[in-house]
Amino acid sequence: MEKFVINGGKQIKGEVKISGAKNAAVAILPAVLLADSPCVIENLPDISDVALILNVMHTLGARVRLINKSTVEIDPRHANSFIVTKEMAEGMRASSYFLGALLGRMNRARVAPPGGCNFGVRPIDQHIKGFEALGAKITFENGLVDGKASELRGASVYLDVVSVGATINIMLAAVKAKGLTVIENAAREPHIVDLANFLNSMGANIMGAGTSVIKIRGVDSLQGTSYSIIPDQIEAGTYMAAVVGATGDLLVNNVTPKHLESIIAKLREMGAEITEYDEAVRVVMKGRPRKCNVKTMPHPGFPTDMQPQIATVLAIAEGTSIVTEGVWDNRFRYVDQLTVMGADVQVDGKMAVITGVEKLSGSPVKAVDLRAGAAMIIAGIIADGVTEVEDIDHIDRGYENIVEKFSAIGVDIKRVPIIDTTPVLKQA
Ligand code: EPZ
């Protein structure tokens, strides 16, 4: 086991290169199963969630060949299993995408229900509603979600909640179904558009991705393609928020500024000077951040996956800020860790009232989930003294080379082994 040790109080200076988007990668990789010939996927982030999915693809029978750290060739032709067990999925959230992809490929899927970050209940009722509308029969057997269909037929599906996962899963199942599928109240995140672009580059006929109505006209077959994944807006936002907390001057390279609009708007409100270039943004921050209210919402609203990071910076802002979580029921579990470091945060249901303090002080804390873990790193960077972050496997799920990237821009952060100090009982 390992932990991160951060010696806080340093300014951030230099350049960072953002990796491919995790939440696009975990949808696009299973989508390769829909092709009749090999695909090359580029700009893959080197993170444990991607490694896990590639392992699942391999176990299903696909041939996976790493060309380099961020490029993989996948030949799905021999994938003949439709079973993704709990052990194969290891609690990852995106396991559910194998339901849509396998149903789309072979009208059959048996997949462990999704795990992943724990924000309270994480239902998949909207995914199931979509599959059933397309003609699949969904049951729960021995802890696995089982789907079968004699054939999938296009249908209209209205989502009761704007769900990224349900939108993606229905697209995957519908892309080779007979006839037209219409998803209404669809999610509009950049990774939905990226998946649609990927599927279209294989020969699919998807229109409207990025709007709330997506139309998918089923095609008979999809051909392999070469495709480069979009940059990770949340990784970019995490580094940008860190500068606003720590002060400094950072050029964030390999981003799509349009995807960062809501994050840029809030960081500007907090006092950052942000310049947008074609594929980069520069963040300059002097002095203490200003208070600001934030409400998370589906895209193009402020992303819930940036909520813990921005709340952490607001913990040292001048004045009182209100952060409202508009997507998940329970995404303030990290607040207990922040208060240990001296933050003044009162949580009432989906709302946190954050009264800025001048400084946080370094302390041992835990990463309670992926983005909460990123927030603890930011807290360690802006705090005085030493912060130790444990349970960092959550962070490794979604951030490539986070120690190397932060070290290169002036942060004093190290990954160190946790030494077990439990006394060993003497054998008789
Ligand atoms: C995706 O999760 C992301 N994960 C999450 O990012 C992100 O927080 C979330 O979208 C919202 O943007 C991946 O892309 C792998 P949802 P997902 O379905 O698809 C409710 C990260 O940190 N809902 O959009 O699981 C649900 O309870 C991760 O990178 C239903 O009620 O999220 C929630 O309140 C964490 N029924 C809301 O919709 C359903 O069938 C949005 O969930 C599905 C969802």
Side-chain angles (χ1 to χ4, degrees):
M1 281 211 297
E2 295 172 319
K3 62 184 173 186
F4 293 147
V5 178
I6 305 156
N7 202 347
K10 310 272 188 301
Q11 273 207 327
I12 290 182
K13 280 212 156 73
E15 295 187 24
V16 66
K17 182 171 177 244
I18 297 306
S19 303
K22 166 180 94 80
N23 289 345
V26 299
I28 285 173
L29 290 173
V32 170
L33 291 171
L34 294 160
D36 291 339
S37 46
C39 288
V40 174
I41 310 295
E42 294 164 14
N43 203 31
L44 268 181
D46 185 10
I47 53 176
S48 64
D49 263 12
V50 163
L52 211 55
I53 292 192
L54 290 175
N55 265 332
V56 173
M57 308 274 295
H58 169 76
T59 312
L60 291 173
R63 245 192 24 224
V64 177
R65 189 167 70 89
L66 283 180
I67 294 175
N68 60 44
K69 207 166 65 63
S70 61
T71 308
V72 68
E73 183 188 57
I74 304 171
D75 183 348
R77 282 175 294 188
H78 304 290
N80 48 19
S81 167
F82 57 83
I83 299 173
V84 179
T85 61
K86 223 172 176 165
E87 292 68 34
M88 284 159 74
E90 273 182 35
M92 77 180 156
R93 180 67 189 164
S95 65
S96 70
Y97 295 154
F98 284 104
L99 274 172
L102 289 165
L103 275 173
R105 178 182 170 85
M106 51 177 82
N107 290 340
R108 196 77 180 84
R110 190 178 294 156
V111 175
C117 288
N118 175 15
F119 318 129
V121 187
R122 296 193 70 172
I124 56 164
D125 56 298
Q126 299 302 306
H127 306 224
I128 292 173
K129 171 172 144 174
F131 297 144
E132 288 178 340
L134 294 171
K137 186 171 178 332
I138 307 292
T139 52
F140 289 83
E141 284 173 27
N142 303 322
L144 301 181
V145 187
D146 190 276
K148 46 170 98 80
S150 46
E151 70 169 6
L152 294 170
R153 287 194 161 270
S156 276
V157 185
Y158 175 84
L159 297 181
D160 300 330
V161 287
V162 179
S163 160
V164 171
T167 305
I168 287 177
N169 243 335
I170 297 167
M171 281 165 70
L172 293 172
V175 71
K176 285 167 63 177
K178 294 236 157 17
L180 182 70
T181 297
V182 181
I183 310 174
E184 287 181 78
N185 202 25
R188 292 181 277 166
E189 269 64 8
H191 31 289
I192 307 262
V193 179
D194 208 31
L195 174 66
N197 288 341
F198 170 65
L199 291 168
N200 282 343
S201 79
M202 294 202 292
N205 184 350
I206 302 175
M207 287 155 296
T211 75
S212 57
V213 181
I214 301 179
K215 293 187 176 158
I216 306 150
R217 190 165 289 284
V219 294
D220 289 338
S221 64
L222 295 174
Q223 297 312 315
T225 186
S226 277
Y227 193 80
S228 181
I229 288 174
I230 51 166
D232 196 311
Q233 63 177 133
I234 305 300
E235 189 197 15
T238 301
Y239 285 95
M240 292 164 74
V243 188
V244 177
T247 73
D249 183 344
L250 182 69
L251 187 65
V252 186
N253 288 316
N254 190 33
V255 297
T256 306
K258 178 112 190 71
H259 297 166
L260 296 168
E261 272 172 354
S262 60
I263 299 170
I264 289 174
K266 284 293 149 187
L267 296 179
R268 280 190 178 137
E269 236 179 282
M270 291 162 70
E273 283 168 43
I274 301 181
T275 317
E276 297 174 42
Y277 303 99
D278 287 347
E279 291 182 355
V281 291
R282 181 174 172 206
V283 185
V284 178
M285 183 71 184
K286 301 173 186 130
R288 204 171 154 193
R290 293 196 290 264
K291 70 177 173 126
C292 129
N293 295 337
V294 179
K295 178 166 186 191
T296 70
M297 280 185 285
H299 192 80
F302 188 88
T304 170
D305 294 344
M306 274 299 296
Q307 183 260 97
Q309 301 90 312
I310 203 156
T312 298
V313 178
L314 289 171
I316 57 153
E318 273 179 85
T320 300
S321 310
I322 297 178
V323 174
T324 311
E325 175 54 49
V327 176
W328 295 109
D329 283 342
N330 185 7
R331 208 173 190 172
F332 285 119
R333 288 166 64 238
Y334 67 90
V335 162
D336 290 345
Q337 310 291 314
L338 265 192
T339 49
V340 166
M341 297 179 70
D344 180 351
V345 186
Q346 305 298 323
V347 177
D348 183 6
K350 290 184 150 199
M351 193 184 279
V353 179
I354 306 173
T355 307
V357 294
E358 264 193 37
K359 268 283 164 199
L360 297 178
S361 51
S363 162
V365 289
K366 286 190 190 315
V368 298
D369 62 54
L370 167 61
R371 307 302 172 187
M376 289 309 116
I377 293 182
I378 294 178
I381 293 171
I382 63 187
D384 280 342
V386 176
T387 295
E388 299 194 349
V389 186
E390 289 195 4
D391 293 349
I392 61 170
D393 47 322
H394 287 297
I395 304 173
D396 290 334
R397 280 184 44 212
Y399 287 89
E400 175 172 327
N401 287 343
I402 196 161
V403 167
E404 292 74 5
K405 288 190 186 186
F406 267 125
S407 300
I409 55 176
V411 171
D412 182 349
I413 177 169
K414 288 186 180 59
R415 181 189 289 265
V416 299
I418 296 179
I419 296 156
D420 188 0
T421 50
T422 327
V424 183
L425 291 177
K426 277 200 175 142
Q427 299 282 321

